[in-house]
Amino acid sequence: MTTPTGDQALIKRINTAIVLEYILRGAPLSRAQISEQSGLNKATVSSLVQDLIDGSLVRETGTGQSSGGRKPVMLEFIATSGYAVGIDLGVNYIRGVLADLRGNIIAERTSSLRHPDPGAAAEQLCECIDSLMAEAPASPYGIVGIGVGVPGLVDDLGSILFAPNLKWRDVPLQQILTERFSLPVTIDNEANMGALGEQKYGAGRSISNLIYVSVGIGIGTGLILHKSLYKGASGFSGEMGHLSVEAHGRSCACGNRGCWELYASEQALLEQSAELGFEDLESLLVAAGEGRQDVLELFSGIGEYLGIGIANIVNVFNPDAVIIGNRMSQARPWLEGVLRQTVTQRALGFHLRKVQLLFAELGERSSMMGAAEMAIAGFFSRVKAT
Amino acid sequence: MTTPTGDQALIKRINTAIVLEYILRGAPLSRAQISEQSGLNKATVSSLVQDLIDGSLVRETGTGQSSGGRKPVMLEFIATSGYAVGIDLGVNYIRGVLADLRGNIIAERTSSLRHPDPGAAAEQLCECIDSLMAEAPASPYGIVGIGVGVPGLVDDLGSILFAPNLKWRDVPLQQILTERFSLPVTIDNEANMGALGEQKYGAGRSISNLIYVSVGIGIGTGLILHKSLYKGASGFSGEMGHLSVEAHGRSCACGNRGCWELYASEQALLEQSAELGFEDLESLLVAAGEGRQDVLELFSGIGEYLGIGIANIVNVFNPDAVIIGNRMSQARPWLEGVLRQTVTQRALGFHLRKVQLLFAELGERSSMMGAAEMAIAGFFSRVKAT
DNA sequence: CTTAGTTTGTCTATCCAATAAACTAAGTTT
DNA sequence: AAACTTAGTTTATTGGATAGACAAACTAAG
């Protein structure tokens, strides 16, 4: 094994990354400002900026305001020098996006999954990707990568080991897509993608430690710790849907008892609402909007159990923020009150001081945008390495 | 704000650290081996090794076996060029150690806490440190630092915000000790220290992701993720003793209900054993050793609840290992069976494949050794920076 | 014992990125 | 217009890493 050693190329990579980071965050700004803010020498900044300009990642946008001397030449990142594809593969839908390198949405596709069989789904997925790629304007780097979020366990090679709601086992999706498109492909769990999406483009912008709770049919979680996705020993963690909140509660298909998602997921809601004659979340939302008391009580129950689990999360991770996403986030108006109250009651005071309780800003787009972000991040780490 | 930028000094730091790491792990070994294994040029290794020799951190130990050419000059780390003090401040005891830079124990002190008052305790603590420091042989670096593990919440400035069992609030322990000894001082939670101790010197040697569960009067946890201690937003995470395992169970002093430590801690055990006439863990261990059925059942109950919580941990973190430490680890013979069975039943199959269930190897020394390791690690990060 | 080949570790010339300082360019203020 | 300011480039220097030459010290084959 060879540890990555330090040499001059490493320094250049590090400093290029710093310069690019400043331009990404603070544009428009001048070379002088970058030098002053980063501590890098003016000459160094000039040279690195020139490399970035040569690499079509940055351009000069003309002169800015003088502050008593020569006018600065302002710089900005060229978001349109490449595009990324982000896909959210759901249990019964495929949602896809074409985004530029800043995450601006260029095109979007939504379709329902015609057939849950892995082969057919992969085919439909490829069609979706093809049609999105066709929308990309000509650009220096073209399509820089494809990211896909899936509702299941994914190993580090991008194979779907197990997706219970799709009834898939061992589908080597990354391999299939890489062969088909000859592009870098990243596959990950839907909750991890959602966490990334919200951290980059949504409610959790630039928060270091956040937990994204994806409340859909089941409950999944994406953990961003120290600014990076935490994945456990085998590459999959965050199965917090199967955190037991009632040690001797109902048996779960996973083998455990009293799992959180038995009490706080969309599935749990629908089971309880069946006897009231509701079959899907949408009709329940409408009924709640009309003020139906029995429906409101259902949501309140879900809110309480969500709070119980989130209090646990807060106690365990002491995160900066917890973000509630996926389908259940639409029920925010009827959940939020009970939820906050429960968390406040149950979480430790010291932890509560800092934690923010948020709802996903990107709504149903969290996971898809996270997938696009994965592809973009992969591109950046590659260009910085050259 | 100035981001740390890359320059040549950074390269040297990185490469020095690499070389030192190889010598620490693989000693005795030669310059040639380091060069080959690390990928660094022979000349580079020679030069960096010379610096380390000049800095009294490495020495030549004579020639080794030839492999068909010139004999190599073997190198080893000089563990005795400095010493660290590690302290475990318990609810009713102070345990301290003087260790060399490899963590070899040079001297050890144990005393019971005379008075729980912060002032008196700090005084006793200083006496203990003084007497340990007096044991250190003369060495180039002398005492390189002091680490202290405490049973409470510690902020990033080393102040004890709250230690329920000591009844302390806002004790600026780091400041007190720094002023008194003029040495680098690190204060952290007892469970974090224990996790570090076991990861470095105990059952979890060089495991990347491990969760240390400290089962004493309460339950604390130390999280090592991606090889480094994870501390949450406010600098304290891992309050997993207050993970709720019975959503509608008994009320806990923390405000939550059904907290894990109400069911699986030493406290929980003692409450149940009171009616059998046992007052402390030690007598229960003796009784269990004699095969008393009612006591065995008590331990079995604790084992089951420990398993319930650990299954949750496994599902959330998917760690490489879970290590059970602190006082309750002495009951291993009567806990382990039920515990493993419960975890196997309740944790997700995919996660179980990799996770190891271990008991602390350092026993009561985990936390103290972790504290010493903190001091040693601090020393290394300082020398590498020069 | 000689000779060829191998391995270890050092030495030297070179490369490359960052930097300080000098410098050019292009403004503003008095 | 002169003096000052700020922006960005050029130039010479510094300090690490490196390849390759080299010396030292060994083994093994004849």
Side-chain angles (χ1 to χ4, degrees):
Chain A
M1 180 218 69
T2 44
T3 333
T5 63
D7 60 356
Q8 312 233 70
L10 175 69
I11 293 190
K12 192 160 189 180
R13 272 213 303 285
I14 292 173
N15 289 341
T16 307
I18 291 173
V19 169
L20 191 51
E21 194 58 30
Y22 273 95
I23 298 177
L24 276 167
R25 283 207 320 243
L29 81 179
S30 68
R31 291 170 177 79
Q33 283 174 287
I34 298 174
S35 167
E36 198 189 351
Q37 291 171 30
S38 69
L40 287 166
N41 188 278
K42 286 195 295 176
T44 309
V45 172
S46 266
S47 150
L48 294 176
V49 165
Q50 192 53 54
D51 288 353
L52 288 171
I53 290 176
D54 293 343
S56 307
L57 289 172
V58 165
R59 72 173 147 231
E60 300 182 335
T61 61
T63 54
Q65 276 276 309
S66 161
S67 57
R70 170 175 166 180
K71 286 181 179 168
V73 179
M74 306 313 272
L75 303 168
E76 72 171 11
F77 177 66
I78 309 178
T80 55
S81 59
Y83 298 89
V85 173
I87 304 284
D88 176 9
L89 175 60
V91 175
N92 44 28
Y93 61 85
I94 293 179
R95 214 188 298 276
V97 72
L98 180 78
D100 69 20
L101 296 179
R102 273 210 116 102
N104 297 308
I105 296 178
I106 308 296
E108 211 172 338
R109 294 274 184 284
T110 312
S111 54
S112 49
L113 197 58
R114 289 193 294 266
H115 199 284
D117 168 74
E123 189 44 48
Q124 195 180 343
L125 188 60
C126 288
E127 281 170 28
C128 175
I129 295 172
D130 269 325
S131 98
L132 284 167
M133 282 171 60
E135 296 282 332
S139 64
Y141 291 100
I143 304 292
V144 301
I146 300 168
V148 185
V150 298
L153 292 179
V154 181
D155 71 9
D156 47 357
L157 296 171
S159 281
I160 301 169
L161 296 179
F162 182 44
N165 295 319
L166 279 169
K167 303 204 173 75
W168 287 11
R169 274 185 188 275
D170 299 310
V171 179
L173 192 59
Q174 177 171 335
Q175 190 192 325
I176 294 170
L177 295 180
T178 308
E179 279 170 17
R180 168 77 174 254
F181 294 102
S182 303
L183 283 173
V185 174
T186 320
I187 315 285
D188 209 331
N189 179 275
E190 162 266 331
N192 281 341
M193 290 300 194
L196 202 62
E198 290 292 330
Q199 201 266 347
K200 192 75 185 183
Y201 304 115
R205 264 184 289 270
S206 65
I207 290 179
S208 291
N209 303 294
L210 73 81
I211 316 289
Y212 174 81
V213 183
S214 165
V215 190
I217 297 292
I219 294 182
T221 42
L223 313 178
I224 291 183
L225 308 178
H226 294 155
K227 293 220 166 198
S228 68
L229 259 183
Y230 170 77
K231 312 169 75 168
S234 325
F236 30 87
S237 69
E239 289 299 313
M240 274 193 262
H242 298 285
L243 193 78
S244 171
V245 293
E246 297 273 18
H248 299 95
R250 289 166 50 197
S251 288
C252 177
C254 75
N256 205 342
R257 307 180 71 110
C259 289
W260 189 24
E261 69 175 40
L262 295 178
Y263 303 91
S265 66
E266 183 179 348
Q267 180 74 41
L269 179 69
L270 294 180
E271 278 170 15
Q272 295 169 45
S273 70
E275 56 195 54
L276 300 179
F278 292 95
E279 300 243 307
D280 57 13
L281 180 60
E282 283 65 26
S283 53
L284 281 162
L285 289 171
V286 172
E290 290 165 352
R292 268 195 58 166
Q293 204 53 40
D294 47 1
V295 172
L296 289 178
E297 272 166 28
L298 282 187
F299 276 116
S300 164
I302 296 286
E304 186 182 352
Y305 266 107
L306 273 179
I308 291 173
I310 287 173
N312 275 343
I313 291 176
V314 169
N315 284 353
V316 169
F317 290 98
N318 181 23
D320 297 288
V322 176
I323 301 180
I324 294 153
N326 208 339
R327 291 170 52 82
M328 194 67 83
S329 66
Q330 300 170 70
R332 173 175 187 169
W334 304 285
L335 293 175
E336 191 165 6
V338 202
L339 200 159
R340 281 187 192 278
Q341 196 186 330
T342 310
V343 172
T344 309
Q345 258 171 30
R346 290 177 169 253
L348 295 175
F350 278 103
H351 293 183
L352 280 173
R353 287 192 197 160
K354 266 220 164 180
V355 73
Q356 303 176 57
L357 261 182
L358 307 170
F359 283 77
E361 264 180 28
L362 304 176
E364 306 189 301
R365 291 190 174 89
S366 307
S367 178
M368 178 176 80
M369 289 309 293
E373 169 56 21
M374 271 266 184
I376 295 169
F379 168 71
F380 279 133
S381 73
R382 288 194 302 277
V383 289
K384 282 170 191 168
T386 338
Chain B
M1 183 218 70
T2 45
T3 335
T5 63
D7 60 356
Q8 310 238 69
L10 176 68
I11 294 188
K12 191 162 189 178
R13 272 214 304 286
I14 292 173
N15 289 341
T16 306
I18 290 174
V19 169
L20 191 52
E21 194 58 32
Y22 273 96
I23 297 177
L24 277 166
R25 283 207 321 243
L29 83 177
S30 67
R31 292 168 174 83
Q33 282 174 290
I34 299 174
S35 167
E36 197 189 352
Q37 290 172 30
S38 69
L40 287 166
N41 188 279
K42 286 193 294 174
T44 309
V45 172
S46 265
S47 149
L48 295 176
V49 164
Q50 193 53 54
D51 289 354
L52 289 172
I53 290 177
D54 292 345
S56 305
L57 288 171
V58 166
R59 73 173 146 229
E60 301 183 336
T61 61
T63 52
Q65 275 275 310
S66 160
S67 58
R70 174 175 165 179
K71 285 181 180 167
V73 178
M74 306 314 272
L75 303 167
E76 70 171 13
F77 177 67
I78 309 178
T80 55
S81 59
Y83 297 89
V85 173
I87 303 283
D88 176 8
L89 174 60
V91 175
N92 45 27
Y93 62 84
I94 293 179
R95 215 188 295 277
V97 73
L98 179 78
D100 69 20
L101 296 179
R102 274 211 116 103
N104 299 307
I105 297 179
I106 308 296
E108 210 172 340
R109 293 273 183 284
T110 312
S111 53
S112 51
L113 196 60
R114 289 193 294 265
H115 199 285
D117 169 74
E123 190 43 48
Q124 195 180 342
L125 188 60
C126 288
E127 283 170 26
C128 176
I129 295 172
D130 269 326
S131 97
L132 284 167
M133 281 171 61
E135 297 280 332
S139 63
Y141 291 100
I143 303 292
V144 300
I146 300 169
V148 185
V150 298
L153 291 179
V154 180
D155 72 9
D156 46 356
L157 296 172
S159 281
I160 300 171
L161 296 179
F162 181 45
N165 295 317
L166 280 169
K167 303 206 172 76
W168 288 10
R169 275 185 189 277
D170 298 310
V171 179
L173 192 58
Q174 178 172 337
Q175 191 192 325
I176 294 171
L177 296 180
T178 307
E179 279 170 18
R180 167 77 174 255
F181 295 100
S182 303
L183 283 172
V185 174
T186 321
I187 315 284
D188 208 331
N189 180 274
E190 162 266 332
N192 282 342
M193 290 300 194
L196 202 59
E198 290 292 331
Q199 201 265 347
K200 193 75 185 183
Y201 304 115
R205 264 185 288 271
S206 66
I207 290 179
S208 293
N209 303 293
L210 72 82
I211 317 291
Y212 174 81
V213 183
S214 164
V215 189
I217 298 294
I219 294 182
T221 42
L223 314 179
I224 292 184
L225 307 177
H226 294 157
K227 294 219 165 199
S228 68
L229 260 183
Y230 169 78
K231 312 168 77 168
S234 323
F236 29 88
S237 70
E239 290 300 310
M240 274 194 261
H242 299 284
L243 192 78
S244 171
V245 294
E246 297 272 18
H248 298 93
R250 291 166 48 198
S251 287
C252 178
C254 75
N256 204 342
R257 310 180 68 111
C259 289
W260 190 23
E261 69 176 40
L262 296 178
Y263 303 92
S265 65
E266 183 179 347
Q267 181 75 42
L269 179 69
L270 294 179
E271 279 171 14
Q272 294 170 44
S273 69
E275 56 194 53
L276 300 179
F278 293 94
E279 299 241 309
D280 57 12
L281 180 59
E282 283 66 25
S283 54
L284 281 163
L285 289 171
V286 171
E290 289 165 352
R292 268 193 61 164
Q293 205 53 40
D294 48 0
V295 173
L296 290 177
E297 270 167 29
L298 282 186
F299 276 116
S300 164
I302 296 286
E304 184 181 353
Y305 266 107
L306 273 179
I308 290 173
I310 288 174
N312 273 344
I313 291 176
V314 169
N315 285 353
V316 170
F317 289 98
N318 181 22
D320 297 290
V322 177
I323 300 180
I324 295 152
N326 210 337
R327 290 168 54 77
M328 193 65 86
S329 66
Q330 301 169 69
R332 173 175 186 171
W334 304 286
L335 294 174
E336 189 165 8
V338 203
L339 199 159
R340 282 188 192 278
Q341 196 186 329
T342 311
V343 173
T344 309
Q345 257 172 32
R346 288 176 170 256
L348 295 175
F350 278 103
H351 292 184
L352 280 174
R353 286 189 200 165
K354 266 219 168 182
V355 73
Q356 303 174 57
L357 260 181
L358 306 170
F359 283 77
E361 264 179 29
L362 303 176
E364 305 188 304
R365 292 191 174 88
S366 307
S367 179
M368 176 176 81
M369 289 309 294
E373 170 56 22
M374 270 269 184
I376 295 170
F379 168 69
F380 279 133
S381 74
R382 289 195 302 279
V383 287
K384 282 172 192 167
T386 341

